[in-house]
Amino acid sequence: MIAFQQIVSAKASDHQASFELEDGHTLRVALLSAARVRVSLTPQTGFPVDRSWMVAPGGDVPWDGRSRHGDAGFANPAATLAKSEAGYALTAGNLRVRVTAAPVRLAFDRRRADGTWETVIEDRESGAYLRCDEGRRLRHYQTRVGSERYFGLGDKTGPIDRAGRRFRILQLDALGYDAEQGDPLYKHVPFFAVESAPGSWAGLFYDTLAPLTVDLGCERSNYHGFYRYVEAEEPALDFYISFGQSLSDIAEDFVHLTGLPHLAPRWAYGFAFTSMHHADDAKAQAKIGAFAERCRADGIPISSIHFGSGYSSRGKRRYVFTWNRDKFPDPAALFAKLRAAELKTVANLKPVLIDDHPAYAGLAADGGFLATKDGAPVVEQFWDGHGSFLDFTNPKTVAWWQTGFERQVLDAGFDCGWNDNNEYEAWREGASGRGFGKEIAVQASRPLHALLMSRATFEASARREPTKRPYTITRAGPPGIQRYAETWSGDNFTSWHTLKWNLRNGLSMALSGLGKIGHDIGGFAGPQPDPELLCRWVEMMALHPRAVMNSWKPDVGEATEPWTHPSVLDAVRNALRLRYRFLPILYTRGYLGAAHGVPSMVPLLYHYDADPLCRGEHDAFLIGADLLVAPIVEPGQRQRAVYLPKGPEGWADFHTGRLYPAGETVTVEAPLGRPPIFVRVGAVLALAGPDIPAVRPHDAPARHLYFVAGATSGQSQAPSPHFEDDGESWSLRSGDFLAMAARLEWARDAVQIVLERKGGTRPLPAAEEFVLDGAGLSGRKVRIVRA
């Protein structure tokens, strides 16, 4: 490895400066706002990929990408470049970047209130930017202190604090992964937040689609002090650093950088079911229809059924945009039956054409696949055959995909598409995609195809029903997929171990801008869950943004279903009904994400970092600051010890109404079907009532106010948000919605709930529409005031 040493020349322009280094390399530093810097390091030949599809400060990017040199969408404050004996300093307001040579390194400073400067983050003194493998890879080193904490990197495994770990940023179809230690998984998310000192946070995002290695203190060397590094498998670097005072500052800023998440229709927040066992069955049509009937008969609330790819299979081979009429003799009749039951349907889609697919030759002639150097389609193993990956950087491929999706999926009766198996494990060296007119190496663009596949499906759905908000799913992809799709942690393994660690996988995704996330309920691969494990899995996912039961158990021979174990059917049913009671809260969090970039679920430290005990690992999560969920993730437990964060006056057990002081660990009952849930004092939650309707349970009105009053007198620390609209259309863009804030005021003998409209044209509900319930009543009179 060779470290860059020399600064040959420097020049400034507006908000940025460029520095010529040895061997024709250029270092550019741009101050994009009062709290964001962009740094790039390129050889004479420039970026290997000269566009970005992940950075989208304006909301989205063109299909052919955004110029890497473009600064549109940023504040771009005027900056000054000063030279001294120590090097250079680029300054704008309270932000400064110092650039020094021998070796070349950067330090990032923010001005304190007293006018002095504080270094938030800095490169390693003994060498920061190193060329590896004769310049084909670049490595970036920064200094590290022992107390630093790291969060992010998408769906990575293990504790949410990544300190001491090394990760590979690479998409793989990681069937049955170890949720504590396995790596890599399905997503490509080269972003992490770092706390360098209390109240001093930074976020680092490496804008590359090439594979990376991220080492956050796993490696040590006696000669270099404590450090961390990121290695990109390409000859250039392009990264963004943002600054803030909290993890929430960094996480929400990253969402604004890469694009706000799409607000899915309300039904997508309901319970859903899928299994390859159903769609692959010899009598798949009858099996899926019977499943829907049994849900109604057994009182299982459900909003949608997702079809595995078996509807397009011949044996074990999958042929996207075709139908197996032996297994599905009359799809129209099946869809009519499911529509009559008010169930939405979602089709599994795959981005590979098996080599004997009827459309293969035509697409090959149009250059529709990733290609070798001589232009032939790259052929890779895929499921039980060989096939070629579609090239979503070719407009002809995108058009073919959207036409096939509309004609063979939507016209057949499906409502939506699910983009699956899109990790793009195409390993042929020298392979490339069309790149919208400028070839892009596959090595530098695998995640891009998952992103564009999701976009193609999203936009085709929007074109079909332009007044309705689309819904789609993707298993793989980079930052930016949240603009179109929800995602999940892939093909997890059935075990208590997975249940415990999937919780952290999901929290990491939430902190990484991925919006609506979840895990396969019951576990996808491995053995059938035992009764207790199945029930506890349903309980945990009942309060996640996404709740889909999905399994493939070839050794067992049957799917995991809500009634797999009759001994816990009542408990499973209760947990799913609990989901629908809280669905208005989950939907509101989805809206807040789409409007402001706020994650739907977060670890305790996100809102209560001032409490030292919230900084450790907890088998718990928050939905906003009001709601704490403590799922049971170990076998045999019928009680659960839960730490309740300091900050509010106290917390109430949602199920019993009992008040507990904040800052203490309490033990509560946790029978099957009833996950521990706590509501902070001062919260006012707009929930669905306990009688969940059998049909369209996701549309149950949120007219049940659950509130928690304190012991003597007081008021809410912050209003509780609530959002409602028609649940499916774009009319919210024209103001057809209600954004409501609810706050609580209480005295010894009275409680007052104040409702205030914060946005939209829909009126506040009348006081008499609400049913009141809560904790801390103690004979107090309760009234509602509409502000």
Side-chain angles (χ1 to χ4, degrees):
M1 295 188 291
I2 302 174
F4 286 96
Q5 298 285 339
Q6 303 173 21
I7 298 177
V8 179
S9 65
K11 63 180 180 179
S13 175
D14 299 325
H15 62 287
Q16 59 187 325
S18 60
F19 305 87
E20 297 303 314
L21 311 182
E22 61 259 44
D23 298 332
H25 284 73
T26 301
L27 176 71
R28 292 184 177 88
V29 180
L31 306 187
L32 302 179
S33 74
R36 181 182 286 126
V37 179
R38 177 183 174 225
V39 178
S40 65
L41 177 59
T42 54
Q44 277 186 316
T45 53
F47 289 108
V49 179
D50 62 356
R51 290 152 287 165
S52 174
W53 285 263
M54 294 187 284
V55 173
D60 211 339
V61 299
W63 265 90
D64 59 352
R66 165 193 172 98
S67 171
R68 285 196 179 274
H69 297 293
D71 292 332
F74 299 113
N76 303 320
T80 58
L81 181 67
K83 188 177 188 305
S84 67
E85 291 184 4
Y88 298 87
L90 184 68
T91 306
N94 295 325
L95 184 60
R96 180 178 72 182
V97 181
R98 290 178 286 124
V99 185
T100 57
V104 174
R105 64 192 186 96
L106 279 64
F108 303 86
D109 306 329
R110 297 198 75 183
R111 197 192 311 265
R112 298 186 180 97
D114 63 4
T116 60
W117 290 93
E118 172 194 20
T119 298
V120 179
I121 200 167
E122 61 184 329
D123 290 337
R124 191 178 71 173
E125 186 174 357
S126 58
Y129 301 93
L130 281 74
R131 288 169 286 178
C132 315
D133 194 20
E134 298 184 343
R136 286 185 286 270
R137 293 176 289 120
L138 280 182
R139 188 174 284 196
H140 177 209
Y141 285 93
Q142 292 188 312
T143 59
R144 176 178 63 84
V145 296
S147 61
E148 284 184 348
R149 299 187 294 166
Y150 307 96
F151 303 91
L153 297 177
D155 60 348
K156 294 302 184 185
T157 62
I160 57 171
D161 181 355
R162 307 304 191 185
R165 298 283 305 279
R166 180 189 294 128
F167 297 96
R168 189 102 159 93
I169 310 298
L170 178 71
Q171 295 182 167
L172 289 181
D173 184 346
L175 173 68
Y177 58 88
D178 182 328
E180 182 183 6
Q181 297 181 335
D183 185 65
L185 299 188
Y186 298 87
K187 314 290 188 297
H188 174 101
V189 185
F191 159 78
F192 60 90
V194 53
E195 184 192 38
S196 54
S200 185
W201 288 80
L204 286 91
F205 170 55
Y206 291 80
D207 185 13
T208 176
L209 295 161
L212 301 100
T213 298
V214 178
D215 189 307
L216 299 175
C218 181
E219 179 179 296
R220 295 191 179 192
S221 170
N222 178 55
Y223 301 102
H224 298 284
F226 293 127
Y227 60 85
R228 60 175 178 270
Y229 73 83
V230 173
E231 179 179 292
E233 295 183 16
E234 61 181 6
L237 281 175
D238 190 14
F239 62 94
Y240 293 76
I241 302 183
S242 60
F243 304 95
Q245 296 179 322
S246 66
L247 177 57
S248 60
D249 287 346
I250 303 304
E252 292 166 28
D253 176 84
F254 180 62
V255 178
H256 285 276
L257 178 65
T258 58
L260 293 169
H262 171 63
L263 177 60
R266 189 164 54 224
W267 63 261
Y269 286 81
F271 171 62
F273 177 86
T274 185
S275 176
M276 287 171 56
H277 288 287
H278 283 202
D280 277 32
D281 193 86
K283 297 182 178 180
Q285 179 171 328
K287 196 171 189 70
I288 292 171
F291 175 85
E293 291 175 352
R294 183 159 181 187
C295 283
R296 291 285 185 263
D298 282 0
I300 298 296
I302 186 170
S303 298
S304 62
I305 293 178
H306 301 197
F307 286 39
S309 58
Y311 71 91
S312 65
S313 66
R314 305 291 185 276
K316 294 184 179 180
R317 293 162 72 90
R318 314 284 150 162
Y319 299 83
V320 66
F321 301 147
T322 69
W323 276 87
N324 184 321
R325 295 291 180 166
D326 293 330
K327 293 190 289 185
F328 292 87
D330 189 357
L334 175 60
F335 287 119
K337 180 176 185 176
L338 297 176
R339 278 194 299 273
E342 297 282 2
L343 292 172
K344 298 292 186 179
T345 52
V346 185
N348 184 283
L349 309 170
K350 303 196 185 300
V352 170
L353 265 61
I354 296 297
D355 52 14
D356 60 349
H357 191 289
Y360 188 95
L363 264 176
D366 279 340
F369 300 113
L370 301 180
T372 62
K373 291 179 179 179
D374 61 6
V378 172
V379 178
E380 298 279 2
Q381 181 177 341
F382 188 76
W383 288 53
D384 291 306
H386 289 81
S388 298
F389 283 93
L390 294 168
D391 177 9
F392 280 94
T393 67
N394 182 344
K396 289 184 178 180
T397 305
V398 174
W400 178 86
W401 177 268
Q402 292 183 325
T403 299
F405 176 61
E406 291 180 34
R407 293 179 179 175
Q408 296 298 324
V409 176
L410 299 181
D411 283 355
F414 281 111
D415 293 294
C416 313
W418 156 20
N419 306 284
D420 200 12
N421 296 97
N422 52 354
E423 292 75 31
Y424 270 72
E425 290 197 43
W427 305 111
R428 179 72 65 88
E429 292 186 0
S432 65
R434 291 294 181 97
F436 300 100
K438 187 175 182 179
E439 282 192 0
I440 302 177
V442 171
Q443 166 78 358
S445 62
R446 288 189 191 95
L448 175 59
H449 295 279
L451 177 72
L452 296 180
M453 177 189 182
S454 303
R455 182 173 186 171
T457 305
F458 177 92
E459 292 186 356
S461 300
R463 186 165 63 207
R464 170 56 61 95
E465 292 192 87
T467 64
K468 292 185 178 181
R469 302 198 302 270
Y471 171 71
T472 190
I473 311 162
T474 184
R475 192 170 74 177
I481 56 174
Q482 73 276 2
R483 304 192 295 257
Y484 321 112
E486 71 176 43
T487 191
W488 83 108
S489 59
D491 295 342
N492 54 356
F493 186 82
T494 299
S495 68
W496 285 96
H497 179 264
T498 299
L499 178 65
K500 179 183 180 71
W501 290 100
N502 263 173
L503 172 57
R504 291 154 175 80
N505 303 150
L507 289 170
S508 180
M509 286 193 283
L511 294 175
S512 303
L514 294 182
K516 190 168 180 289
I517 56 93
H519 316 285
D520 284 345
I521 297 174
F524 181 85
Q528 198 72 271
D530 64 42
E532 183 186 11
L533 177 57
L534 174 60
C535 184
R536 295 308 195 188
W537 219 309
V538 174
E539 291 172 22
M540 186 173 90
M541 301 315 300
L543 277 299
H544 271 59
R546 168 184 161 97
V548 180
M549 185 174 287
N550 182 20
S551 64
W552 173 238
K553 310 288 187 185
D555 294 335
V556 178
E558 58 184 28
T560 302
E561 297 170 321
W563 44 81
T564 289
H565 298 296
S567 62
V568 294
L569 178 57
D570 286 343
V572 166
R573 185 189 298 112
N574 289 339
L576 292 175
R577 288 176 176 170
L578 185 70
R579 176 177 186 79
Y580 283 97
R581 290 213 64 194
F582 280 90
L583 190 143
I585 303 293
L586 297 171
Y587 188 57
T588 293
R589 302 313 302 183
Y591 163 74
L592 293 173
H596 306 294
V598 180
S600 292
M601 57 178 290
V602 293
L604 272 57
L605 64 94
Y606 194 88
H607 291 293
Y608 299 103
D609 201 27
D611 182 345
L613 294 182
C614 288
R615 295 185 169 210
E617 293 289 319
H618 292 268
D619 295 324
F621 59 94
L622 296 168
I623 302 174
D626 287 339
L627 199 61
L628 188 155
V629 184
I632 305 301
V633 295
E634 295 180 2
Q637 289 190 331
R638 296 298 182 269
Q639 291 182 324
R640 169 73 205 270
V642 183
Y643 179 72
L644 302 177
K646 294 178 182 177
E649 178 183 324
W651 297 81
D653 183 328
F654 171 77
H655 301 291
T656 67
R658 180 177 174 180
L659 282 168
Y660 295 94
E664 293 188 7
T665 298
V666 301
T667 299
V668 296
E669 298 299 317
L672 292 177
R674 205 181 83 176
I677 299 172
F678 295 87
V679 183
R680 74 169 174 174
V681 168
V684 182
L685 306 181
L687 308 177
D691 296 325
I692 302 299
V695 178
R696 298 178 67 90
H698 46 273
D699 284 339
R703 294 295 181 265
H704 194 103
L705 291 184
Y706 185 95
F707 59 92
V708 182
T712 55
S713 63
Q715 60 184 5
S716 303
Q717 288 183 304
S720 300
H722 174 68
F723 170 82
E724 58 186 54
D725 66 346
D726 63 18
E728 62 178 6
S729 80
W730 290 109
S731 64
L732 61 90
R733 288 178 168 175
S734 59
D736 182 22
F737 67 91
L738 170 65
M740 182 179 78
R743 68 179 189 274
L744 201 65
E745 301 169 352
W746 64 92
R748 290 187 179 277
D749 58 353
V751 174
Q752 181 169 275
I753 300 171
V754 182
L755 305 180
E756 182 180 0
R757 191 174 72 186
K758 305 298 286 186
T761 59
R762 293 193 172 197
L764 286 170
E768 55 268 21
E769 293 183 44
F770 290 104
V771 175
L772 302 179
D773 186 18
L777 296 181
S778 303
R780 292 162 164 166
K781 294 180 180 180
V782 183
R783 70 167 184 157
I784 295 176
V785 175
R786 298 162 78 242

